[in-house]
Amino acid sequence: MSAPIFYTPDVQDFLRLASGLNQDGGNPRTKQIIHRILSDLFKAIEDLDITPDEYWAGVAYLNQLGARGEAGLLSPGLGLDRYFDMRMDAEDAALGVANGTPRTIEGPLYVAGAPVVHGHSRLDDGSDTAGHTLIMHGTVYGADGQPLPGAQVEVWHANTKGFYSHFDPTGEQKPFNMRRTIIADAQGRYKFQSIVPMGYGCPPDGPTQALLNQLGRHGNRPAHIHFFVTADGHRKLTTQINIDGDPLVFDDFAYATREGLVPPLTERSDEASIRAHGLSGPFAEIVFDIRLSALVDGIDNQIVDRPRLAA
């Protein structure tokens, strides 16, 4: 279209009307956000000459995205989750806050209420017979570099099919399989036994993968393990590690790989190591220490309030 109209008084007045800026009621912050989003969308329609057909295809896509419950999957796939982490990194840099263990995205598959154990836990229930035994352990350190007894380490990961309990379409996993909350021991140590997870891909028939196909991108994640780590006087850490050796470690469609979050995976087959962990055969071992950062002026400025499943 050769007649741009976005900056005309009629359109600008209409934007204010549509976003409620001319009304006394409602929420001022919501009005501010909607006005900006509508303005950017109107401007994009004009700049890119988006047709009504293209617009309504987008509306249909959003309906499909919601019906499939994939908005939380598309968000990291388009880099939005990573962008929020980048903003928090920049805020920390401006405040002079030094992070120990890097933050990275939460993902959409956390479930609140996992069983609480002290020091050591078995995460998997043994039902995934294809699983290779994993022992993962480390120490949680505070901002002063000292171990943090009683730190809370929430951990969750997928099985060898790339499925998480509570979200497994096969129905094979029991509630809270491969999910625990571990309370660090008197030396700040945590440890768990599980299986080496596998990565997963977006549902191939879903709207997330459909959009990624349009972008020429894959929708796969490397194998990884998620963590929430909290302790008194410290900020909550949201992070995850990728499994060393996975071919997609540095090609994660969700952009969650960061330096310092790919600890070595060591295969152990010697009898001494097997006996030391009370096992009966070879296993993989990951050692991963976690370093938290202090509150900022007594406040945890990296708590994220978002909808999460609770079971």
Side-chain angles (χ1 to χ4, degrees):
M1 182 176 177
S2 60
I5 64 171
F6 178 76
Y7 290 108
T8 63
D10 283 350
V11 170
Q12 293 303 309
D13 288 345
F14 180 62
L15 281 167
R16 292 180 58 83
L17 179 67
S19 54
L21 291 177
N22 297 335
Q23 303 297 321
D24 293 332
N27 184 292
R29 177 63 171 168
T30 302
K31 293 179 183 184
Q32 179 188 35
I33 293 171
I34 292 299
H35 182 264
R36 175 58 185 268
I37 291 173
L38 278 179
S39 297
D40 289 349
L41 181 56
F42 279 28
K43 189 68 166 61
I45 289 171
E46 181 164 285
D47 289 348
L48 301 176
D49 197 18
I50 294 173
T51 67
D53 289 353
E54 290 172 325
Y55 170 77
W56 286 108
V59 171
Y61 177 82
L62 292 177
N63 284 335
Q64 184 186 13
L65 190 70
R68 289 288 294 260
E70 289 193 16
L73 185 62
L74 181 64
S75 177
L78 290 181
L80 291 163
D81 295 30
R82 176 72 184 108
Y83 183 61
F84 277 106
D85 282 347
M86 294 168 71
R87 283 175 52 83
M88 286 192 283
D89 287 348
E91 181 180 5
D92 282 352
L95 293 171
V97 175
N99 276 309
T101 301
R103 63 168 60 88
T104 194
I105 70 170
E106 174 182 334
L109 302 174
Y110 171 78
V111 178
V116 178
V117 294
H118 291 264
H120 173 268
S121 178
R122 173 82 182 262
L123 267 60
D124 73 301
D125 61 11
S127 61
D128 191 338
T129 57
H132 178 40
T133 299
L134 170 68
I135 297 291
M136 183 166 178
H137 58 96
T139 300
V140 182
Y141 293 96
D144 61 359
Q146 297 302 306
L148 279 173
Q152 180 173 285
V153 180
E154 296 181 75
V155 55
W156 68 102
H157 68 79
N159 65 8
T160 60
K161 295 179 180 179
F163 297 139
Y164 289 74
S165 60
H166 301 270
F167 298 91
D168 189 338
T170 69
E172 296 173 355
Q173 296 189 66
K174 295 179 180 178
F176 294 111
N177 188 37
M178 303 181 202
R179 300 177 185 271
R180 290 295 186 276
T181 297
I182 304 171
I183 306 301
D185 67 14
Q187 287 75 48
R189 298 174 302 188
Y190 75 94
K191 178 181 177 182
F192 62 83
Q193 176 183 333
S194 192
I195 59 174
V196 178
M198 293 292 290
Y200 67 83
C202 298
D205 63 340
T208 301
Q209 188 59 58
L211 179 56
L212 293 174
N213 290 342
Q214 292 290 313
L215 301 178
R217 293 178 47 204
H218 72 76
N220 298 306
R221 298 213 62 201
H224 56 280
I225 300 174
H226 294 270
F227 295 91
F228 283 159
V229 188
T230 53
D232 290 343
H234 291 79
R235 301 190 300 173
K236 177 180 180 179
L237 173 67
T238 299
T239 195
Q240 59 184 270
I241 61 125
N242 283 350
I243 302 300
D244 188 27
D246 189 296
L248 292 175
V249 161
F250 297 104
D251 189 19
D252 179 2
F253 101 97
Y255 306 109
T257 306
R258 303 195 66 178
E259 184 178 351
L261 297 179
V262 190
L265 182 146
T266 304
E267 294 291 344
R268 303 291 190 191
S269 59
D270 61 286
E271 287 299 322
S273 295
I274 293 170
R275 286 196 304 271
H277 292 285
L279 302 175
S280 58
F283 64 97
E285 182 179 25
I286 297 175
V287 179
F288 183 63
D289 292 337
I290 299 168
R291 302 180 186 277
L292 301 184
S293 54
L295 299 174
V296 177
D297 296 327
I299 297 172
D300 186 344
N301 66 343
Q302 57 184 16
I303 290 286
V304 176
D305 183 12
R306 57 181 279 184
R308 296 182 176 97
L309 182 67

